[in-house]
Amino acid sequence: MKVKQYIPALEWLPNYRSDWLKNDLFAGLTVGVMLVPQGMAYALLAGMPPIYGLYGGLIPLLVYAFLGTSRQLSIGPVAVSGLLVLAGVSQLAEPFTPHYIELVLLTSLLVGFFQLFMGVFRLGIIFNFLSQPVITGFTSAAAVIIVFSQIKYALGMDIPREMNILEKLTHLSRHLGEIHWPTLLICLGGVLLMIGLRRWNRKIPGALFVTALSILIVYIFRLDRYGVDIVQDVPVGLPHFSIPILGLESIKELIPTVLSVSIIGAVEIISIGTVLQKKHRDHTVRPNQEMFATGLSKIAGAFFQALPTSSSFTRSAVNSEAGGKTGMSSVFTAILVALTLIFLTPLFYYLPNAVLAAIVLLAVRSLFDWQEAMRLWRVHRKDFYMMLVTFLATLFIGIAEGVLTGVLLSIGVVLLKAARPHSAILGRLPDTQYFRNTLRFPQAQEEEGVIIFRFDAPLYFMNAAYFGQQMEEIIKDPGLRLVILDASSITDMDASGAEMLNTVVDNIESANINFYICGVLGPVRDLFQETGLVEKIGPKNHFLTVNEAVKAWNTVGKERDRQWKSEAIRTWKEREIQK
């Protein structure tokens, strides 16, 4: 059982059925046909020679196929990871240079170790701090940045990489005359042809078709002699084993890039895997095992010259729709990539960079999720503003800064909600024993002289002061005779919470107001016993439900309160007489 937990393939491989083979083979080859041109395009986006994109579709796929918990997830080069790598590593070296390639392979290794660490120590839960609005804001900004990064390939212009988006727009407006029209026509033609093929028949591999057609056109008309940029020499053969060059100084400098690639990649993998799990319902995606699997896949890939990989929503969806049943589909994809590396790479010599740009531009359309932005604007403005801040930070400050901003925003929102949780004043629904929030149920009736207060969160150090402030406001009511604390939503309490409740009880008694508590859960009741709060509040003032507390007040409490007031008045008169 322990071995199967770390090698999920042992769950399906011994029971592999012959009818699955046809589905896995077809799905694997279909994804492979997509991965070959996409991998080359995403490598170019990452500032790497195209061959490294094919390397990224080989070893990582084989490792994940046997260690991953998702049976349809497709691992390989993706646009967002390529952009993150370019943004971070390009600060340390010039893209496409040997030193830059060394740093990217080291980044892949470090990302693998980080995700492996997360999986082994079961820390995948921290990725929950990256909320969906933040992810939407980041990926939408990433889509815009990716589009601008491909402009120079699409237009055949020399646009300095260091420029931000506004500077690129300004530069472009001043150098429109430098547009290389054959290159632009190739790019636009590629985009339109891929869109047309997709609408005509989704089963046609548009990217591969456009790649082959563009190579043929450039070769026949020798467009490379007229200024069309081409890939040129692509190494033949499988990647050789090599150890990434380690350097303490390089590792320190790469930490921000490693963290951003790891976090975004993990979110992509878990979210896509969860979507596929809900569709197929024949397996369970375990986040910590996913971190373990993808971590090892990147580590192994780094030793065979693979750039950082992640899950591709498009290729995973195609794998699912094509009938992929198990990780064997990824094995067949890797085999197709290996055959391409061995026999077909010389054919890519005349592949125009403009077509690779077209593949990237078409692929990132799905990243810009304006529909989700509109939905958030309608249903949850706070989430919309969080998405917007992340979007703007990523777009105008930086990629890594955008990721960090998103994480901090997500954590900040969680802390804010924890520090100021929801609470309610309750009233009785007419002719029932049920009590509900008076703001949500206008028909709910409050008891005269009674406030029923519900605190909807654990009472602990972070929100104890807020709880105390709310109770102070409640007991300011001059006509108040009883406060009932509905503790049914207080699932836990620490020493700070207990101390604050003790203070609240003292303040209520000092204001000559009665105090009842109801619905106390077992763990909280245990703390009450240990801290003396049971005796402090009074055993007779504890009730199971709000209805029991109100009934006790109406039958016994009011009379006791009148007796107490009479005794207080008599004592006051005696003191006045003595004076």
Side-chain angles (χ1 to χ4, degrees), residues 45 78-85 138-139 142 146 261 264 268 367 399:
L45 170 63
V78 294
V80 174
S81 292
L83 175 64
L84 291 169
V85 167
F138 170 78
T139 54
I146 290 171
V261 173
I264 296 300
E268 286 180 330
L367 294 179
I399 307 295

Side-chain angles (χ1 to χ4, degrees), residues 311-540:
S311 59
S312 164
F313 182 80
T314 304
R315 295 196 298 271
S316 299
V318 168
N319 190 27
S320 174
E321 292 171 4
K325 297 295 183 182
T326 68
M328 283 302 298
S329 61
S330 289
V331 174
F332 290 126
T333 298
I335 291 174
L336 181 61
V337 172
L339 292 174
T340 302
L341 286 166
I342 295 171
F343 300 109
L344 302 180
T345 51
L347 299 178
F348 294 123
Y349 184 93
Y350 289 101
L351 174 62
N353 288 329
V355 163
L356 295 179
I359 293 172
V360 172
L361 292 173
L362 196 61
V364 300
R365 289 189 310 167
S366 60
L367 294 179
F368 192 86
D369 198 348
W370 62 270
Q371 292 179 328
E372 176 66 6
M374 297 300 294
R375 188 187 71 82
L376 291 176
W377 174 259
R378 291 194 308 269
V379 302
H380 207 293
R381 293 290 174 88
K382 289 182 180 179
D383 281 350
F384 173 81
Y385 292 130
M386 187 160 59
M387 181 212 71
L388 183 62
V389 170
T390 306
F391 176 82
L392 296 175
T394 305
L395 201 59
F396 295 110
I397 301 178
I399 307 295
E401 290 82 357
V403 175
L404 179 61
T405 299
V407 172
L408 294 178
L409 274 175
S410 297
I411 295 175
V413 168
V414 171
L415 295 179
L416 182 61
K417 288 182 177 179
R420 301 179 67 86
H422 180 266
S423 60
I425 301 297
L426 306 182
R428 184 194 296 273
L429 295 178
D431 302 321
T432 72
Q433 297 180 359
Y434 302 108
F435 292 78
R436 293 293 184 268
N437 186 347
T438 55
L439 294 179
R440 295 182 179 274
F441 295 83
Q443 70 273 29
Q445 300 169 355
E446 295 185 53
E447 299 283 329
E448 183 179 356
V450 178
I451 291 292
I452 306 170
F453 177 68
R454 190 184 70 210
F455 193 72
D456 294 335
L459 182 57
Y460 61 125
F461 70 96
M462 190 171 291
N463 58 32
Y466 181 64
F467 172 79
Q469 293 168 6
Q470 289 184 299
M471 296 301 290
E472 284 181 12
E473 291 299 318
I474 288 173
I475 64 178
K476 287 180 180 179
D477 184 351
L480 185 62
R481 301 307 316 142
L482 171 69
V483 173
I484 300 176
L485 175 62
D486 180 2
S488 60
S489 297
I490 301 177
T491 55
D492 196 9
M493 184 180 293
D494 67 359
S496 299
E499 182 62 30
M500 178 54 70
L501 182 57
N502 187 77
T503 302
V504 165
V505 173
D506 285 339
N507 293 339
I508 290 175
E509 290 179 351
S510 299
N512 298 327
I513 299 171
N514 295 279
F515 179 75
Y516 289 176
I517 189 169
C518 62
V520 181
L521 301 178
V524 179
R525 191 184 306 116
D526 294 340
L527 184 64
F528 277 19
Q529 292 285 359
E530 295 170 2
T531 58
L533 273 170
V534 171
E535 295 300 324
K536 177 81 172 182
I537 296 171
K540 293 182 178 180

Side-chain angles (χ1 to χ4, degrees), residues 123-132 135 263 267 270 287 407 410-411 414:
L123 299 177
I125 192 173
I126 71 168
F127 296 114
N128 294 336
F129 285 110
L130 206 58
S131 65
Q132 189 58 46
I135 296 171
I263 292 172
V267 170
I270 294 172
V407 172
S410 297
I411 295 175
V414 171

